[in-house]
Amino acid sequence: MKKLTEVEIEKRLEELDGWDYVNGAIETSFEFKNFKDAFSVMTRIAFECESQNHHPDWSNVYNSLNIRLSTHDAEGVTERDFKLAHSIEEIIVSN
């Protein structure tokens, strides 16, 4: 898959509220009511990641979730990352 240029990435980020391009990846953070809610959403995201065969770098501390997406094989951000980011947003909105 083709690595996107910085200009392409910035343009695509206009479609995603709260996501930023930082050090070769797109990233965002979410805060939930409590750990249970955060973990529940992480589980839903994990199933979506498996279905897309694309996995984030992420971390969770209590009620916060930090997600970072890049395509390691392409050494940067690709369409795959934006597809997963949109799927994550759909999961968050439906929560």
Side-chain angles (χ1 to χ4, degrees):
M1 184 154 276
K2 177 181 140 317
K3 177 180 168 180
L4 299 175
T5 67
E6 202 165 318
V7 171
E8 291 171 317
I9 293 166
E10 293 297 339
K11 181 71 175 160
R12 295 293 309 274
L13 282 172
E14 292 174 10
E15 304 167 6
L16 293 166
D17 188 36
W19 289 76
D20 296 302
Y21 179 60
V22 179
N23 297 325
I26 58 173
E27 60 182 42
T28 193
S29 297
F30 300 103
E31 192 168 302
F32 301 91
K33 184 174 146 186
N34 53 41
F35 176 75
K36 182 181 82 168
D37 288 349
F39 194 81
S40 173
V41 169
M42 288 178 71
T43 301
R44 292 178 60 206
I45 292 170
F47 278 99
E48 181 61 30
C49 293
E50 278 297 301
S51 76
Q52 292 187 29
N53 193 29
H54 193 46
H55 305 90
D57 293 328
W58 62 359
S59 63
N60 162 249
V61 176
Y62 181 57
N63 69 334
S64 66
L65 172 60
N66 301 303
I67 301 174
R68 185 171 164 81
L69 301 174
S70 67
T71 303
H72 300 291
D73 293 345
E75 298 181 354
V77 177
T78 68
E79 286 298 325
R80 262 181 116 179
D81 301 301
F82 280 99
K83 180 181 177 190
L84 182 54
H86 282 284
S87 296
I88 290 168
E89 287 295 318
E90 288 175 19
I91 291 168
I92 296 293
V93 169
S94 70
N95 186 39

